[in-house]
Amino acid sequence: MISLRRLLTLGLAAIIVFTTVVSGWFSYREGLREANELFDAKLAHSARVLQGLLDDSLSGAPDVPPPEPLVIEVWRAGPEHVADGEGELAFVQGHVYETELAFQVWDSNGRLRVHSEDGLVEPLAPLQAGFSRQTHLGQRWRVFAVRSESGHWYVVGEENQIRRSLARQIAAGIVIPPLLTLPLMIGLVWLLLGWGVRDLRGLVRQINARAGGRLDPIAVGRTPREVSVIIASVNALLGRLRSALERERRFTGDAAHELRTPITALRIHLDNLRFADDAVERQHAIESLELALQRLSRLIEQMLLLSRLEPGESVPHRAVLALRPCVEMVLDEPAITRLAAGFSLEVRFSDEELSVLADATSVELLVRNLLDNALRYTPDGGIVRLSLAAENGDQALLTIEDSGPGIPPEARERVFERFHRELGTERDGSGLGLSIVRRLVDVLGARIALDESPALGGLRVRVWLPLTRADDWSGSWSPPDDSP
């Protein structure tokens, strides 16, 4: 696994080298352009100085030219001058960059009258006014020509080498210092990164020193901002994990407590069956055992369902769903039919089609648990009424009320707690039905209210679900905020 410190150091070093080289290249191009401008100006100036010095004398000469052109010596700096200057470009006699000129003067008849001592007797360039680039003896030259009023052409040329040398020196002055100091920069970057990650080492030690069950948040301290964001995410994960473990421990403890009674009842009925004296007692023990097994099975199913509905679990797939078929499917279930055998079960549906954004399983579980709770706590021969209607045009109202004893106002919030059963109900139950309903209401984004039934005198449960239409659904959904 690559070290972040090493990766950043090498990456920064590569970036420095790359940018320095690129900068040197552009500096060379810019330096060459500036050198060309400067030396072109000096070249034109030299031609005009030469014209000013020689034009009058050449114009007054006889028509017959001398047998040989006039040769003028031009001083040039050599290696010995550079050595005398101990490596400096400027010295007593002049400067290394002092222009090395080759010049020629031609008359109007195309005869060479004056030239420099370099021995060039061929025209440096065509006798046309202005700048041009020429090649002589394999070297590139920059040439400037100007014509005087007397008809003489003054041609001055200079090799390009000095210009390129100057541009290279400018680029080298930009590239070489950063490259020479690159080891120092790498060392400083390495130390800076080491100083920056020192808190990470402390964070690693803090995490390694933690016990396996310690899930409290990690102290952020003086960690860099980028790292503190990671720590915040880890702390959020630890919080969710801590909540999940607490729910598991609570669920395990509650399950152990609640299963103790039905298991004890099973043992008692089994002992009664084992020591039954006659067929009547044996049959009674078998029936009691079957009933206890049914209660235990229902309790386990409800506990498993509640565990799956805990916060953080995946929400079932939602789609546009018609409510009436879901309610009718629950009413036709054998378990509900058997429970409703001794009651008057009244059902009322709205004529309009009511659709919600939900999944069939959650809606059926909601209706089933509410009906189961109403049927179990209503006395024999009582009335249970279920209605489904629209309200305010944007909500579906599911109402289930009974003629049972109801729930006192001060206890209506407690009944949603897991394994809570009101004293004096004289009914078997696990105390999980309304807990499951509460969680289903949260999953569906619905709202629930408990009060006294005005018509039947028992408990009335109302659940509001937001209505939707297939053509209105864009694939995203959030629960409503308004209250009933």
Side-chain angles (χ1 to χ4, degrees), residues 7-26:
L7 176 64
L8 291 177
T9 302
L10 295 178
L12 287 174
I15 291 173
I16 291 173
V17 172
F18 176 75
T19 54
T20 301
V21 171
V22 172
S23 175
W25 167 253
F26 282 104

Side-chain angles (χ1 to χ4, degrees), residues 165-219:
S165 176
L166 178 60
R168 283 195 296 268
Q169 297 230 6
I170 294 175
I174 294 176
V175 173
I176 292 178
L179 294 181
L180 291 178
T181 58
L182 183 61
L184 177 61
M185 286 189 287
I186 292 176
L188 292 176
V189 169
W190 182 265
L191 294 176
L192 179 62
L193 291 175
W195 179 81
V197 301
R198 72 191 189 284
D199 294 324
L200 292 180
R201 299 191 186 96
L203 179 63
V204 171
R205 289 192 296 269
Q206 181 186 161
I207 295 175
N208 290 335
R210 282 174 167 249
R214 185 179 173 186
L215 298 176
D216 56 296
I218 301 172

Side-chain angles (χ1 to χ4, degrees), residues 268-286:
I268 293 174
H269 295 315
L270 186 60
D271 289 339
N272 291 337
L273 178 61
R274 182 182 298 115
F275 299 110
D277 294 330
D278 52 31
V280 175
E281 291 184 2
R282 188 177 299 107
Q283 183 62 32
H284 178 71
I286 291 175

